[in-house]
Amino acid sequence: MTDTAVLGVRRLWIGTSWKMNKGLAEARSYVSALSDYVSRTGLPGVQPFVIPSLTALAATRDELGADSPVLLGVQNAHWEDQGAWTGEVSVAQAKDAGAQLVEIGHSERREHFGETVATTRLKVAAVLAHGLVPLLCIGESAEVKTAGESSRFILEQAAGALDGLTAEQVGRVLIAYEPIWAIGENGRPATVAELREPFAALGREYGGRTKGLLYGGSVNLDNAEDLLGIDHVTGLFIGRAAWQLPGYLRLLEIAAAHPKAAG
């Protein structure tokens, strides 16, 4: 795998999490074809990443090969290196299995598994300590949005998770803004107008200070180009639209053709 120390030179981050989907055969088929595509095109200006289910991590790693420019991640990891944590996987174990990126604080983890700002802070620190890339997910509910508190809420989530880090450490973090009302099967795609202020707030606080500011939430082939055009957006974190390989490849093409990919 590509050393994480050299990652980040590409300008647009375009990735997908498979959540609890795909068995080994489907994972291998997807990633084998993705690897061929990236090798052929080079994808200048674009940093692709894939976050499979944990059971498919090793198979995905093997299909990508040692020198793949595609970044490989896990959807969660514990902050302790080892211990009596039944059912958990440590950052050290994830790294040993081939992970280079760790997703932290997705709204589903917060809602269903008790993830808090305090645990996201512990996980970010652990991921950085092992030299991997933290992908910190933040986002507000529809109620918070209606109250006009979106920017305040997501800045507090981000600040809490990054508290105590040095400027160099913050520079190794990816932040993905995923409003809860816009994600999932029943999510409503956000308009560009709705996203301008949250990203303006993120840009004022973290623009140029982090590895990237990504948007995720009902991203699709029709809105990807417009979403990438929002000020301070430097990538997309994609769900269902990228679960089938043709959709992901098309999204990578859209990103590669975007003016931001060229600098």
Side-chain angles (χ1 to χ4, degrees), residues 92-103:
Q93 289 173 318
K95 180 178 181 179
D96 188 48
Q100 299 164 283
L101 179 149
V102 179
E103 184 179 355

Side-chain angles (χ1 to χ4, degrees), residues 206-218:
Y206 297 109
R209 295 182 56 214
T210 64
K211 192 175 285 290
L213 297 175
L214 283 57
Y215 175 72
S218 299

Side-chain angles (χ1 to χ4, degrees), residues 4 19 28 38 40 50 60 75 78 103 122 125 130 136 148 153 178 218-219 250 253:
T4 56
K19 301 195 177 184
R28 288 191 182 103
V38 174
R40 284 187 286 104
V50 173
T60 303
Q75 298 172 25
H78 200 276
E103 184 179 355
L122 291 170
H130 285 283
L136 174 65
F153 186 89
E178 296 191 301
S218 299
V219 177
R250 180 61 189 132
E253 290 173 351

Side-chain angles (χ1 to χ4, degrees), residues 15-33:
T16 181
S17 168
W18 295 346
K19 301 195 177 184
M20 199 172 70
N21 295 287
K22 300 190 188 300
L24 294 180
E26 190 177 2
R28 288 191 182 103
S29 176
Y30 182 112
V31 177
S32 176

